[in-house]
Structures are given as structure tokens and as C-alpha cells.
Amino acid sequence: VETIKRVLGPQIGGLTIESVTVIRSEVIAHPAPAEFCEALAGQEILGMKRRGKFLQIPLGNGDVVILHLRMTGCLLITPADWPKEKHTHVIFALSDGRELRFSDMRRFGRFWLLRSGEADTYTGIDRLGLEPFDKRLTPEYLQQKLGRRKMSIKGCLLDQNVISGIGNIYADEILFTAKLRPDRPANGLTAAEWVRLCIAIPERLAYFIEKNAISPEDYLQRR
């Protein structure tokens, strides 16, 4: 998700959404698809942000589009004549002649449009825990939130209400670096192990963000 933000954000910032086409209405969670399309037409895109596994597209009038890719969602910016993916569900026509397209084979991904000042009672972002790079993510924070749990430490790392954004693959990488078995009960970790885990979380994620860096051209070709 961070890679998508870094690749697409600079490309769409400053462009205007000329129109939106929704092919599969179920991927628009809020508001109704017709209102979603009407409200976005003519809006300026300010860029792209990430919160946990959510992508956020702030707009010039204070509205924000929120997207969760779920398991198989894909977001591309393409020439208008680029062949469409089989499972393309939403197309944003942009002012530079290109299109921002969302495809999703399993159709679990969802869009929300929050109007300026509208309370977010839809996405669940307000329940997310600290970001992995937050300075408040300390050994003490981890032990306070997780230290009494009997569940596996890997399961704890996947709890988005404690740390947002860690998925299955990177939980394994973090635990390997911290020299912790994934099935260790969280309430059995020592103070030194909480320190190792706290160091490994941002270090491993930063490493793989840089390792996954890709040019916009290569990103489009590989997708």
C-alpha cells in the first residue's frame, strides 16, 4: 500500500477528476454510487496518503476518497486507451487524459467518500493503532497493549487496533529479525524481547519499502 501511494500519489496530485464510471456498484461502500460519481466530478486531487492499509485521496474542497484494496485490489493510472483489466470496477477520468482504474478479482475492495466535515463512521480508520514509524511505538507501548495476551505474538502483530499496517508476510519478517517464534504467546515475552521487537518493526518495514521501490513505468507494466 505504501508503494502504491509513492508511485501514484505524485502522478495524480494537481489533476482534476473529470468523471467517474462505476462498473460494479458493490465496491462503493458510501455514499450511493450515483452520488459518489456526481460528487467527484470536477474535484481537484491534492495527492495520496496512507493510514494503515487504507489509501486516502484528499480533494480540493475538503472531501476525501478512502480506499481499502483488501486481498486482490489493484489501483493503476493508465493511458485512456490502455487495455482494461478483466475485473476493472471503477474508472476515474483525469484532466490530463489518463485514467485512474481500480480492479479487483474478488471484489472485496471498497471505496468511501467522506464529505468535508463528515464524521467517519464507515471505514474503521478511527480504530487503528499506531503507525509502525510512530515515535510513540515503544517497547513499553507494545508490552502494555500485548503483554497480557495469551495469543501468539504473530497474531498480536496483525491486530490493526494496536499497530496499523502490518500484514502476514512482514509480521514473519519482523519476528525472524527479532529472533522470536511466531507462535510464542505474547504474555511470555521478556523485557529484552519487547525491545528487539520494537526495533525490528520499523527497521524491517523501512527496508522492504525501499526494496519494493519501483518506477511508475515499471509499476504499470508489471501490473
Side-chain angles (χ1 to χ4, degrees):
V1 180
E2 178 69 21
T3 297
I4 292 171
K5 184 203 78 173
R6 293 188 179 204
V7 171
L8 299 187
Q11 295 188 72
I12 64 176
L15 299 179
T16 298
I17 301 171
E18 296 196 334
S19 64
V20 181
T21 302
V22 175
I23 301 167
R24 299 288 305 204
S25 61
E26 63 264 38
V27 304
I28 308 299
H30 173 77
E35 183 180 348
F36 181 88
C37 296
E38 182 179 357
L40 290 178
Q43 292 254 36
E44 180 189 4
I45 298 172
L46 300 183
M48 186 176 287
K49 300 179 180 180
R50 180 194 58 78
R51 177 72 171 101
K53 298 180 183 181
F54 292 85
L55 288 169
Q56 301 169 310
I57 303 175
L59 304 171
N61 70 345
D63 294 355
V64 58
V65 176
I66 300 174
L67 166 62
H68 199 300
L69 299 170
R70 301 285 166 82
M71 297 179 68
T72 58
C74 177
L75 200 61
L76 294 176
I77 184 165
T78 73
D81 59 355
W82 190 266
K84 290 183 177 59
E85 297 285 333
K86 180 179 179 181
H87 301 283
T88 298
H89 305 315
V90 184
I91 301 174
F92 300 82
L94 303 175
S95 55
D96 68 348
R98 293 183 295 171
E99 295 179 346
L100 183 64
R101 300 177 183 175
F102 172 72
S103 62
D104 187 359
M105 181 176 65
R106 302 186 69 177
R107 300 198 301 275
F108 290 160
R110 290 293 182 270
F111 281 89
W112 299 264
L113 171 63
L114 297 180
R115 298 302 186 90
S116 179
E118 180 180 7
D120 184 359
T121 60
Y122 309 98
T123 67
I125 286 179
D126 62 320
R127 298 191 295 273
L128 292 177
L130 297 180
E131 288 286 323
F133 302 105
D134 195 311
K135 297 299 183 183
R136 295 173 293 171
L137 185 63
T138 63
E140 293 75 21
Y141 172 85
L142 292 175
Q143 191 167 8
Q144 177 189 2
K145 294 291 185 179
L146 305 175
R148 296 182 180 180
R149 296 190 183 185
K150 296 179 181 179
M151 70 185 300
S152 71
I153 187 59
K154 178 176 178 179
C156 290
L157 287 183
L158 299 177
D159 184 347
Q160 302 297 301
N161 296 327
V162 178
I163 311 170
S164 61
I166 298 177
N168 184 56
I169 294 174
Y170 297 123
D172 286 341
E173 295 286 350
I174 289 164
L175 291 169
F176 181 82
T177 298
K179 296 181 173 60
L180 294 171
R181 284 177 56 100
D183 58 357
R184 281 274 302 279
N187 63 1
L189 269 62
T190 67
E193 288 171 330
W194 286 115
V195 170
R196 293 208 307 266
L197 182 60
C198 185
I199 293 171
I201 290 170
E203 188 278 327
R204 284 291 82 190
L205 291 176
Y207 172 82
F208 283 106
I209 287 170
E210 293 306 317
K211 187 177 179 64
N212 291 331
I214 188 172
S215 71
E217 295 77 16
D218 286 344
Y219 176 83
L220 178 58
Q221 292 294 336
R222 293 185 185 183
R223 306 305 289 190

